[in-house]
Amino acid sequence: MYLSTYPAILPCLETVGIIDGTMACCMELLDVFRWIGILEEMKLQSLELPKSEPQHLTDYSQQISAKLVSFVQQMMARDSKTPPMVSNELQGLPTNTLLEDYRLCNTIAQHVSLICLYRYGLGLDRKYPCVANSVRSVIGLASAITMHAGSHPSICLSTALFIAGHEAERECEGDIRTLLEIQYQITKSQNTQKALDMLHRTWSAVPSPNDIRKKDRSPNAPLIDDFVPY
């Protein structure tokens, strides 16, 4: 059966979270993002299957998505009770502020994973409160971090803000635009500028009848085409 080609093992929650120095999020969350990639693959593969099979794949995808949402929520509860530590390569951080920035970026990444799971795993509309709440959380948490150029966890914010911006309601677009503009002014990253340009086109686009990806920002379409902001 086609579903047998997908792994059945979901991430395991550790007692204390350990933040990866490169991705600025807990290592278990990296497994969640890998699963989000698998869910994306399922959605694309379902278009190529016989009519009887896509529903099985959709049901399986939604079951996995619901379990992953629960897992991320458990992770967030754990991290709220016991703040995560940093991985070995980050030991000896110069200030407590920098450690707190890593923890804020970890929480931002958790909300980003929830946005992806809600929208592209469970197929919820971006107007659902859970989606909108995570978008607003990304904005609020990103606003609390002092952005820096070079080796700093804030470098990961372009990705988070791009994803949140793709699902933002109209009233949140200005906040995301401002944060990305500040990020660009500090880092001078052309990738961040491209993220801004793509969001501007998304926010202002008038979809054509054949443009499924722009029409209502459909949860059935991939979140990002071939562009990964960083």
Side-chain angles (χ1 to χ4, degrees), residues 116-192:
C116 295
L117 290 168
Y118 289 143
R119 287 285 283 140
Y120 297 90
L122 297 176
L124 301 182
D125 189 275
R126 62 192 177 93
K127 294 182 179 180
Y128 267 66
C130 57
V131 179
N133 288 341
S134 279
V135 169
R136 285 193 292 268
S137 293
V138 169
I139 294 170
L141 292 163
S143 300
I145 298 174
T146 301
M147 299 182 186
H148 293 268
S151 180
H152 188 271
S154 64
I155 200 68
C156 298
L157 293 180
S158 292
T159 303
L161 291 168
F162 178 76
I163 293 173
H166 193 275
E167 304 305 336
E169 293 286 356
R170 188 68 61 187
E171 63 269 17
C172 293
E173 292 174 2
D175 292 328
I176 290 174
R177 180 186 298 109
T178 297
L179 288 167
L180 279 171
E181 287 173 346
I182 293 171
Q183 178 86 324
Y184 175 70
Q185 291 167 9
I186 292 171
T187 65
K188 302 303 180 184
S189 168
Q190 293 303 310
N191 198 274
T192 300

Side-chain angles (χ1 to χ4, degrees), residues 2 15 24 26 40 44 60 75 78 86 90 116 145 165 192 211 219 230:
Y2 183 77
T15 304
C26 283
E40 173 75 4
L44 294 174
Y60 178 72
M75 191 190 313
R78 177 204 64 189
V86 291
L90 295 176
C116 295
I145 298 174
T192 300
D211 194 343
Y230 56 86

